[in-house]
Amino acid sequence: MQNEILFFILSLITIVSSLVMISAHRPIDSALSFIVTLVSIAALFGLLNASFLFVVQIIIYAGAILSLILFIIMFLNIKDENLPDEKYKNYWLLGTSLIIAPFSAILVDLILRSNIAVNAAVHENFGTIKDVGLTLFSEWVLPFELVSILLLVALVGAVTLSKKEV
Amino acid sequence: MGTRIVERHGNTFKEKIYLPAIFSGMKSTLKHFTDNLSDASNIPTLCYPEQKPTDITPRYRGVHRLTHRKEDDSIACVACFMCATACPAKCIEIVAAEREDGVDEKMPKVFNIDLLECVFCGYCVEACPCDAIRMDSGIYSVIGDKREDFIYNKAKLLSIKGISKEEYSLAK
Amino acid sequence: MQTKIVSKNFDIPHAEMLEVALQNGRYGSLEKLSTLKPQELIDLIKQSGLRGKGGGGAPAGVKWQLASDFEGTKYLVVNADESEPGTFKDRQILAKDPHLLIEGIICTCQAIGANISYIYVRGEYEEFSAILQRAIDEAYEKNILGIGSTYKVDITVHRGAGAYICGEKSALLESLEGNRGHPRLKPHSPEPEFYFGEPTLVNNVETIASVPFIVQNGAEAYRAYGTKESPGTLLFAMSGHVENPGVYEAEFGLGMWEYIQKLGGGVKKGKKLKAVIPGGASTPILPAHLVYEAKLDYESLRDLGSALGTGGMIVMDEDVSMVKALKNLLRFYRHESCGQCTPCREGTSWVDKTLDKFIAKTATHEDLEILKSVSRSMNGKTICVFAPAASSVIDGFLKHFESEFLECIV
Amino acid sequence: MLKAYMILSVVLFSIGVVGLISRRNIIVIYMSIELLLNAVNLSLIAISADLADASAQVISLIIIAIAASEAALFMALFVVLFRNRSSLDANLFTMLGSEK
Amino acid sequence: MKIIVDNNPIECQEGALLIDVLLDNNIKIPHFCYHQDLGADGNCRMCMVEIKGQKRPQVACDTFVCEGLEVSTNSASINEVKRSILELELLNHPVDCPICDQAGECKLQDYYMDFGLYESHLSTPKTKKSKHIDLGSNVMLDQERCVLCARCTRFTTDITKTGELGIIGRGDQARVAIAPGHPLNNPYAMNVVELCPVGALTSKDFRFQQRVWFLDSAKSICHGCSRGCNIIIDYNETKYTSEKIHRFRARRNNAINHSFLCDYGRLSYKELNEKIIAAPCNMETLKELLQAEKKVALASPSLSLEQLQSIQEFCKNYKIELFSLPYIDESFGDDWLKTNDKSANFAGVKELGISTCQDDFNSSFENAEIVLNFDHALLKQQVFKDKTLVHFTATPCEGEFVFAIANFAHENGTLINCEGVRQEFFGTKYKSDAPRLRELLEELR
Amino acid sequence: MSFAFTQENTIRMASLLNRYAQKKALSLPLLWLAQKQEGYISEEAMQYISEFLELPYMHIYGVATFYTMFRLQKGDKPIIEVCRTLSCELAGSEEIKKYLKENYSERYEIVEVECMGACSGAPMCTLDGKYFENITPEILDEVLNAD
Amino acid sequence: MNTVLILLPLVLTILYSLATVPILVWMERRIAGLIQDRLGPNRCHIKGVRLGGIIQSIADMMKLVFKEEFLPSHIKNKFYYLVAPSIAFMSAFLTFMVIPYADTITLGEQTYSMQALPTDLGVLWFLAFAGLGVYGIILGGWASHNKYAILGAMRATAQVIGYEVAMGLSLVSMLITYGTISLNEMVSYQTQSFFIIPAWGIFIQPIATIIFIVTAFAETNRTPFDAAEGESEIVAGYHTEYGAMKFGLFFVAEYIAMAASGALIVTLFLGGYQLPYLNTADLVNNFELLLWGIIIFALVTSVLFLKWMQKHNIFAMSGINETKLYTTLIIGFTVFAVILMSYYALANSSQSAKEIGVMLLQFAIFTVKLFFLHFVFIWVRWTLPRFRYDQTQKLGWNILLPLSLVNIFITAVVVVAGVNYGN
């Protein structure tokens, strides 16, 4: 029961803050509400016993990526005149929502109709670092190495991009 | 004064890693700390309101005062506005007037110093051609509970005495 | 020793009376005058080499020519404002032979074509201007002057009122116009003086008084006296520490020491000579050793670093304190400065005040520097030559007697 | 509970798509993309919890790593684009497209 | 014709005075006695220059330019000469700059900073003269500060020909003075204050009011009469005082007033400092009033052309008859700067074709219900029972409808003087409390 | 108190008028006349002269103060002027001055003046414009006690 | 009872972290004073009792709390402005939550972890919330709408992001060494000893220790890495526009972050709550002996402290005679403690009592170590000058990051070699 209530509250926070994120005019508002989204998603991860993912989500998303975004926003010193002139933003949002809504509805309907829940018993170590680590370094070594290369490429790419001469 | 060429530091590895220098600095501060902790009697701190500083000299820039003439104790200021001109904080307000007693031609009718705006730079004293304004009152704390209390007017400034003995006669 | 051209009648008693004067040959040149045209007269003066005897020593003929050539009503102004300390020769002419002057005026007026003449007599010569006035009145009576006369010359005696600077010709004219005696700015091209805007000739009394002799005897007769550059004679005055002070006419080119010895009777009480101021107070002093070399003419004295000036020598014996002497002179200059231009007005008073410190023996080396620098500042930067004269006097004293000034320094 | 998580995931995904399509501010666009990734992550974790299998967590871990590298690139892009155009309007960045 | 000054060729007119050429070309040449409108006197000896071919330095104020003249104004030797003369000028000067109003615009100070900068050598007492002498006509004399440049005496003898001032005494006791019992009393007397290059003559009116380095200046034109003398408005605003105009100074204009100003005009700054206390007036009420049938407007002939133009336009819009009447004061004018017509821009009024007929105005005025008075003095003090007067005024005025407007010290504009010379004037840098007339009319459109 | 020239002086004034090109030039002669008449130049005299010559009063005043021989204050004693310039000082004018001051300052006003042009007769002094040359205390006693 | 025991660590941690702040402030001031040959604050008193100047800190805290809250008028984003200090405070606070200050105790059947949040995430938790703290700074700086604030915030952000990497990597080498991420396990690992050297992190991983300490200084914005609030250039950095308790929260957050960093350093590198060579079981087993040791130690210490106090407490204030009071208190407390401890030492106490006693002892040890760390923090602050901003960045990216990577590599090699070829 506790978990359901927590889930309900957290999902509410998530949805509201993500809605604020896409509709806010100033990027700083978007970014800050997105932090709330991310932290509450992290909490949902925690709720799902994925404690390692919970920490990773907070460290990487909330701690690193979003603070980088905020840093960039401050660094660029974005003023109102630098923002795109989105006069019909709300109509756009409404229109797109109307277009997307049927698809979502179909998906939700499918989920509701399907019988996907297995409800397997969760063992004690589930979601701990050891568990995830063992899986990662046994079954998923190749993707892990690929991701590390990807990260390297991204690093080099980012450095190259932000050089002044571009 | 000859020129001394100081060699640039940070060349050797020991200097480059900084840690030895940091530790020697820390050693030095620690020595002060332990010395003072074990025997605090050498610390020259003054317990201020009870113990008052005794070494304030006339060069100490305290609250301003207006001096008097040697001859007749009248105000020495001639309202030349030099202090007001030199003042970087523009805290001196002077209104000049004709002096009627024949000692001089000009004197200030109003002479206000706003001590809240004053930065105590001493430029006014430097600028004064008549030695009429001084900061040798030795008063280092000004107390008041209204803004107006900090605007010292002519009478108030004239009533402040200098601290050194030989100039005592100038201040009545 | 004396050569009496101008001073011929000085020893004759009552020569100021017209009768006595006529007996002694006054107005003799007027006959000759009628035969000469004005331009011939000027040429005559030019040939004679007559030089202005008021101190400057400028050739008189050139000045006459200028005044004569300029269009307008012409005036002749005779400068009898001799206020130079040590100079008192004009006074002799005014008092002892005024008719010589009147005769000279008539000649000069004739030469430059003027009818009106003013004699600017210094205010202190009240007695002598009265004598002069009497002589003029007599001349009017006898139709030597005035409408009834041949040459229709009017002479007015104008008395000054005690201002040395009015001896300067432009200041004199200002004074004559009824203003304060401030010298005028110097002209840029050669031109005569102007009195109320009209061309005017200003000449010294002695210059004018020399004219009748030249008119009467011709230029060569005059040139027979004196040196080549300075022909003729000058009334040399002598005062101070000499046995017989007075005015003695002599040829140019005479030895100064000889002159002092013979005519002045040597230094008073047989003391040693220390210095001589050769030509009135505005000429630089000459120490004894230079006096022995000096000749009484313009060029010789100029070469010795002094000037002949008006020829009024002041002789000083060995006891004279040069500091006091300079102080005396500078007090005079301070008192007589007109106060128009700054260097003179402030400089003379500053030097005078500084010299007080020398007298009181409280001076410093800096004060000596002040004397020198102020003298430099006064020289050549003023409207008239008053300040340069004062400057040259200071320079002269400091050049020759600096040791005495150094003694006064604490 | 799985269904609830899935539905939440769908909702977040839809919101991300809406933001991605309708906004022109590139920072918001970027964050919408991140929201899409998070929605997927959420469903993956939910499934992993449901199945008691850590593999799904590993996948989402990899997704997070990719998101991080993407973030680095995006930040660099923002800086460059903003420096050149001094605007965040995605419509302006058409250097490769036809001239307006 | 060209002369060479400090190795730079300078174009000039044949026969001009060297000092004029130097001054016109902004070459620094110190001078006390020379004044472009008083001429040379040559007594201060400050304007010494070196002329090639002359062994002694010459005064620039007594040197006429000629072809090929080579002048040096700032060589080391000539600067030494200037320095020595300046030392003498300053010798007996009481250095009482602290109490001297001239400090800040004093030539002695300026030249000391330019050429002097020596330590005083004077070790003997200074010459004492009288101080604090009231010469009359708002002029105070301090003989010790005087450098005897004789500008003031030349002004009174040559320009006004009244000769109240003169130099008495001689030598170091020479000093400027008035004769006992004969004070300075001509209507241009205060010019001597401005002419005085040092603090010897100071204005009693401005005395001790403000130090000049605190003052800002605006180029304006005197509105006292139709002569249109060029003036400089000296004003300031400090931390402790609001904006105040402290004095008018003459601005040199050879065509009109040279460097002079009459005392009346010079003192007319006072009314510009008067605060107008006007009851807050409602624009809407005024607009309602303007709906009336018979309206007449009277504009001051001292308003600028631009103001008159906008008044004209405004009156045309609202169909108001516009008049302007001159201020004639037969006793005011003289043969020099003052004119009988005390309105500053009457020629401008005529040029704009505004009716100036007294009779027409009288008849229109009789019939009018609403009278608009644009700062005209005639209607300000009067009250009419059957008419509504609306004042737009720059001076204190009483009435029911009073709109304060900015006075000319806060306006830029153009005036045409009695000789038909069109001149621009500029206001101070601070905005006045009251709005400008043109802004007000703009609002009423 | 107004000033007017005496009959005799008025005639002299008129005759002087013809001798000069402009009226202005008369300021010095008229001041002399006024001083002769009253012993000093009064303000009224200057006023009179300035009106007569159509000059500003200040001009006359300035001229009168420029020349040292004009007296603007009324003196009640006869004036003895003692020359103090170089020749006379060399000849001992200081002692003469001292002697005069000590003995005659009650009866006479003793004034020091600059060179009077009588250097050959130094030391000298004047009394009422009359020169006394080569003076000694004895001569002075003789002269001053003559009446 | 159960709930109480679960909540006890939480409450204790909150109190502990909050109560440290005034003491830290006092320490900072007094140590700074003594290092600089001054006395430091010592005059604030309650009825003549000054507690060596701690009252001053309390007074300052009171002032901050009761000062009028006001919002500068130019601030547009009031919400962000207000929320920033609480973010900073909360994240600093949360980092403190995972620090174990005593070993897990077993009372009866139940075991209780002496952590506020009994999680195994340990170090990762610390990293996660230390990283979140930067939002407080960013928001505070940005919402202040002030160029100094935003400059400070940017400096702080760049610094924190940069040093977090090096900090994480230095931790990785520690994780490899200890083979765990649980802080409790790490501490128990450090009770071992190689020969006579205790197996403290500082001895087995000196490079990682230095890197961690340096990065901890940078993370908490302490000197020499406090360019973010470099008062000589940018007034006060990101909290320029803050006053009263809003500033107070930033202020407290900084000290709590410092305390948390210090606690983590103690835990990771200084053997945590353990005494060297003695693990918890040893302590529990030799409890009486331990007590006698403590009694002797307590007696010696209090006598020395008493003497020192009487020598230096010379400036008498009006009111109570302080020296007398302190003397009485110290003697009374010592006597009380000695009697209490003697009782326990003589009486054969139960296992639970022993466990609790050891827990208290470990808590005390932890506190002493922590305060030593604080002293080091303060000592460094008053010794080293501030790094220039570019120097900070250069140090972080050019030196510490490669160094920590190399360290990981070496550690990994050694550990793998040890596992495979050792024994």
Side-chain angles (χ1 to χ4, degrees), chain G residues 29-285:
Chain G
R29 289 170 174 170
R30 288 312 292 261
I31 292 172
L34 290 171
I35 282 176
Q36 296 167 350
D37 292 348
R38 295 184 285 115
L39 280 177
N42 65 340
R43 300 186 55 78
C44 198
H45 64 99
I46 299 169
K47 297 260 173 211
V49 180
R50 298 173 294 179
L51 295 178
I54 295 180
I55 303 295
Q56 178 77 58
S57 304
I58 294 167
D60 282 351
M61 281 294 177
M62 303 279 273
K63 184 198 82 174
L64 281 178
V65 171
F66 290 110
K67 210 169 173 181
E68 183 193 356
E69 292 286 341
F70 77 97
L71 226 60
S73 61
H74 69 276
I75 283 166
K76 292 173 197 142
N77 303 287
K78 295 203 168 57
F79 176 70
Y80 296 151
Y81 175 77
L82 290 174
V83 88
S86 33
I87 290 177
F89 177 73
M90 282 315 289
S91 54
F93 201 63
L94 283 172
T95 51
F96 205 86
M97 285 292 167
V98 288
I99 310 293
Y101 49 81
D103 206 347
T104 318
I105 56 167
T106 315
L107 299 178
E109 298 298 298
Q110 207 77 30
T111 54
Y112 299 97
S113 176
M114 284 297 120
Q115 275 171 295
L117 286 174
T119 169
D120 285 342
L121 292 172
V123 179
L124 289 181
W125 176 278
F126 175 84
L127 279 181
F129 286 97
L132 278 191
V134 79
Y135 286 110
I137 295 171
I138 293 183
L139 273 183
W142 183 79
S144 291
H145 205 76
N146 171 320
K147 58 186 162 204
Y148 300 123
I150 202 152
L151 274 173
M154 281 180 54
R155 287 177 180 196
T157 316
Q159 182 177 308
V160 168
I161 291 175
Y163 278 75
E164 208 167 54
V165 180
M167 180 186 242
L169 290 176
S170 77
L171 273 178
V172 166
S173 61
M174 295 315 293
L175 300 188
I176 294 171
T177 315
Y178 296 141
T180 178
I181 59 163
S182 163
L183 292 169
N184 259 322
E185 285 173 34
M186 285 181 184
V187 174
S188 52
Y189 180 93
Q190 291 178 72
T191 50
Q192 300 170 352
S193 59
F194 298 122
F195 311 112
I196 49 156
I197 306 165
W200 284 7
I202 190 167
F203 298 122
I204 50 178
Q205 280 284 14
I207 295 175
T209 312
I210 289 174
I211 294 171
F212 190 87
I213 290 176
V214 171
T215 49
F217 273 97
E219 286 275 291
T220 51
N221 285 323
R222 292 280 306 182
T223 333
F225 301 105
D226 63 344
E229 47 189 281
E231 53 281 287
S232 52
E233 314 139 38
I234 49 172
V235 188
Y238 56 86
H239 55 65
T240 303
E241 295 284 343
Y242 283 90
M245 202 52 209
K246 295 191 293 299
F247 166 74
L249 282 180
F250 271 126
F251 187 67
V252 169
E254 201 182 310
Y255 279 101
I256 292 178
M258 175 178 142
S261 301
L264 200 66
I265 292 167
V266 167
T267 311
L268 282 175
F269 303 107
L270 297 178
Y273 44 77
Q274 296 286 19
L275 280 171
Y277 319 120
L278 297 168
N279 60 22
T280 316
D282 292 340
L283 289 177
V284 174
N285 293 340

Side-chain angles (χ1 to χ4, degrees), chain C residues 132-295:
Chain C
L132 178 64
Q133 187 65 53
R134 262 203 307 281
I136 290 169
D137 290 346
E138 275 180 305
Y140 267 106
E141 277 169 29
K142 290 277 160 23
N143 275 340
I144 295 167
L145 293 172
I147 313 162
S149 68
T150 328
Y151 301 105
K152 295 191 172 49
V153 174
D154 272 321
I155 298 178
T156 310
V157 176
H158 186 99
R159 275 184 71 202
Y164 170 71
I165 194 62
C166 290
E168 206 273 346
K169 57 192 174 201
S170 62
L172 182 143
L173 288 175
E174 281 286 319
S175 178
L176 200 59
E177 283 182 17
N179 297 331
R180 293 160 61 82
H182 287 177
R184 295 170 180 170
L185 288 172
K186 290 283 163 290
H188 298 276
S189 50
E191 60 182 34
E193 303 298 322
F194 292 97
Y195 176 62
F196 283 126
E198 306 292 350
T200 305
L201 175 67
V202 182
N203 263 138
N204 183 259
V205 169
E206 196 189 341
T207 319
I208 300 290
S210 305
V211 173
F213 177 84
I214 299 168
V215 173
Q216 214 162 2
N217 303 319
E220 289 311 311
Y222 192 72
R223 272 196 171 279
Y225 301 101
T227 64
K228 194 162 176 283
E229 287 88 4
S230 317
T233 59
L234 190 71
L235 290 170
F236 290 102
M238 224 179 321
S239 59
H241 293 139
V242 283
E243 285 294 345
N244 309 313
V247 175
Y248 308 97
E249 188 170 14
E251 284 178 66
F252 283 114
L254 207 62
M256 184 185 270
W257 181 235
E258 190 190 353
Y259 176 83
I260 293 170
Q261 285 284 10
K262 294 199 174 149
L263 292 175
V267 180
K268 221 174 188 173
K269 293 173 189 163
K271 284 188 181 164
K272 269 165 80 183
L273 179 74
K274 186 168 192 179
V276 171
I277 296 176
S282 62
T283 52
I285 193 166
L286 286 179
H289 66 93
L290 289 178
V291 171
Y292 304 140
E293 293 172 25
K295 284 203 167 68

Side-chain angles (χ1 to χ4, degrees), chain A residues 26 28-29 32 35 39 51-52 54-55 58-59 61-63 66-68 70-71 74-75 129, chain G residues 77 80 121 124-125 127-129 131-132 134-135 138-139 142 150 153-154 157-158 161 164 181:
Chain A
R26 289 181 305 172
I28 191 122
D29 295 338
L32 287 168
I35 293 170
V39 171
S51 57
F52 180 58
F54 160 69
V55 177
I58 286 182
I59 293 178
Y61 262 117
L66 257 296
S67 60
L68 202 60
L70 278 181
F71 182 72
M74 291 199 312
F75 179 71
I129 294 175
Chain G
N77 303 287
Y80 296 151
L121 292 172
L124 289 181
W125 176 278
L127 279 181
F129 286 97
L132 278 191
V134 79
Y135 286 110
I138 293 183
L139 273 183
W142 183 79
I150 202 152
M154 281 180 54
T157 316
I161 291 175
E164 208 167 54
I181 59 163

Side-chain angles (χ1 to χ4, degrees), chain B residues 78-82 84-85 89-93 96-98 104-106 114 117 129, chain E residues 96-101 131-132 140 142 145 207-211 213-214 239-241:
Chain B
V78 295
C80 70
F81 286 71
M82 280 297 143
T85 309
K90 299 269 164 281
C91 67
I92 303 178
E93 182 195 2
E98 195 93 25
D104 214 322
E105 283 181 53
K106 197 177 175 189
D114 190 342
E117 304 215 23
Chain E
D96 56 358
C97 306
I99 55 167
C100 176
D101 265 342
K131 294 173 86 79
H132 204 69
M140 297 290 285
D142 186 321
R145 294 180 192 152
R207 200 171 157 85
F208 304 158
Q209 292 303 303
Q210 194 55 258
R211 301 314 305 241
W213 57 84
F214 292 125
K239 198 167 173 178
Y240 301 99
T241 56

Side-chain angles (χ1 to χ4, degrees), chain C residues 268-269, chain F residues 82 91-100 103-104 121-125 132-145:
Chain C
K268 221 174 188 173
K269 293 173 189 163
Chain F
V82 186
S93 65
E94 302 234 342
E95 287 97 76
I96 298 294
K97 189 183 80 196
K98 220 171 129 195
Y99 179 78
L100 278 171
N103 298 308
Y104 293 100
M124 63 82 66
C125 70
F132 294 96
E133 300 184 9
N134 290 321
I135 47 172
T136 55
E138 295 76 45
I139 295 176
L140 273 177
D141 286 341
E142 205 176 297
V143 170
L144 296 175
N145 297 325

